[in-house]
């Protein structure tokens, strides 16, 4: 199980230091939530912030685009230092073109599905993906409760990949804590995003270690 702390829960006044803290604490990647105020009812960060914090770590930047038109912004986020770009199947951009654009920039591509979207929606694209992100909360705000009823989607996607001989990672995001991560692990999750569970913990290193052990 890889742990990707979400900067959505960090202290935005010292993002660079917060990234260094999770790097030293054993995080596997950094999860950056990009929201446009249209696709989800929240506004967060853009390419300029990602570019500013990129020098603080060598960990992969897992950039989750919760925006209406991801295709239009692939170059901007690639230039800012993204390693993985995930975007929503429910967005307005054509998935194949968006995946191709991500690959053209030499980055790994991922598709995201909201809680109300069936797992089967990503099946036509699995052979082109590095990961699928299954949202375990409604995207938009941190600190929400984990939706364990999303785990059958994880199992279904892993099963479909195995059937087709594909090595696609499955990530979950939302409400991940030491109490919920074991359900994710049992379902076959490879990467867990945790914001509040890491950044609001008294000891960051202990929190990440506990998540991995749980």
């Amino acid at each position: 199980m890889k742990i990707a702390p979400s900067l959505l829960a960090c202290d935005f006044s010292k993002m660079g230091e917060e990234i260094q803290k999770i790097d030293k604490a054993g995080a596997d990647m950094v999860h950056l939530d990009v929201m446009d105020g249209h696709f989800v009812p929240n506004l967060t960060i853009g390419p300029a912030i990602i570019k500013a914090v990129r020098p603080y770590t060598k960990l992969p930047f897992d950039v989750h685009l919760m925006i209406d038109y991801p295709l239009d912004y692939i170059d901007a986020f690639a230039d800012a230092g993204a390693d993985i770009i995930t975007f929503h199947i429910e967005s307005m951009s054509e998935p194949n073109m968006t995946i191709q654009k991500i690959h053209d920039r030499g980055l790994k591509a991922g598709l995201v599905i909201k809680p109300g979207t069936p797992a089967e929606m990503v099946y036509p694209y699995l052979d082109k993906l590095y990961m699928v992100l299954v949202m375990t909360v409604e995207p938009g705000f941190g600190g929400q409760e984990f939706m364990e009823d999303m785990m059958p989607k994880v199992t279904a996607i892993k099963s479909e990949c195995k059937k087709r001989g594909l090595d696609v990672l499955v990530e979950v995001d939302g409400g991940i804590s030491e109490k919920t991560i074991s359900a994710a692990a049992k379902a076959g999750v490879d990467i867990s995003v945790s914001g509040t569970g890491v950044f609001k913990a008294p000891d960051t290193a202990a929190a990440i270690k506990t998540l991995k052990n749980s």
Side-chain angles (χ1 to χ4, degrees):
M1 175 74 77
K2 292 187 187 327
I3 302 299
S6 167
L7 290 189
L8 192 60
C10 84
D11 181 344
F12 272 42
S13 70
K14 45 183 183 187
M15 286 179 85
E17 291 166 48
E18 294 274 68
I19 288 170
Q20 287 175 329
K21 186 168 76 175
I22 60 167
D23 190 337
K24 289 193 187 105
D28 297 290
M29 50 182 71
V30 181
H31 190 82
L32 299 115
D33 290 300
V34 176
M35 309 183 196
D36 64 0
H38 292 276
F39 185 74
V40 289
N42 196 3
L43 272 171
T44 54
I45 60 171
I49 301 287
I50 292 174
K51 188 175 185 179
V53 298
R54 181 66 272 194
Y56 285 86
T57 182
K58 289 189 166 66
L59 287 175
F61 271 17
D62 170 21
V63 178
H64 174 193
L65 301 183
M66 285 169 266
I67 63 178
D68 276 339
Y69 296 98
L71 179 58
D72 298 350
Y73 294 93
I74 300 304
D75 280 329
F77 286 103
D79 292 343
D83 297 287
I84 306 156
I85 294 180
T86 61
F87 67 97
H88 279 260
I89 190 80
E90 306 93 351
S91 76
M92 312 290 265
S93 294
E94 201 282 314
N96 280 314
M97 287 171 69
T98 311
I99 293 165
Q100 189 57 53
K101 181 77 172 173
I102 295 168
H103 287 165
D104 288 347
R105 290 304 309 264
L107 308 181
K108 293 169 176 169
L111 266 176
V112 193
I113 49 173
K114 289 182 183 182
T117 304
E120 291 75 18
M121 290 290 286
V122 301
Y123 288 6
Y125 311 100
L126 285 174
D127 58 336
K128 301 176 181 137
L129 299 176
Y130 170 70
M131 75 157 79
V132 174
L133 168 50
V134 175
M135 292 302 298
T136 44
V137 296
E138 284 296 340
F141 294 93
Q144 297 183 67
E145 211 164 292
F146 177 74
M147 298 165 77
E148 193 168 339
D149 55 346
M150 294 298 113
M151 293 306 96
K153 284 195 207 177
V154 173
T155 312
I157 292 163
K158 293 298 282 187
S159 171
E160 181 68 16
C161 290
K162 191 176 179 185
K163 194 164 80 182
R164 288 159 59 177
L166 301 171
D167 189 19
V168 180
L169 301 179
V170 175
E171 182 176 63
V172 288
D173 181 2
I176 294 292
S177 68
E178 58 184 280
K179 292 179 183 143
T180 58
I181 198 166
S182 56
K186 278 178 196 149
V189 169
D190 302 290
I191 306 163
S192 283
V193 176
S194 181
T196 311
V198 170
F199 285 106
K200 305 301 184 203
D203 183 331
T204 310
I208 290 174
K209 192 176 180 183
T210 301
L211 285 172
K212 289 188 177 188
N213 290 342
S214 298

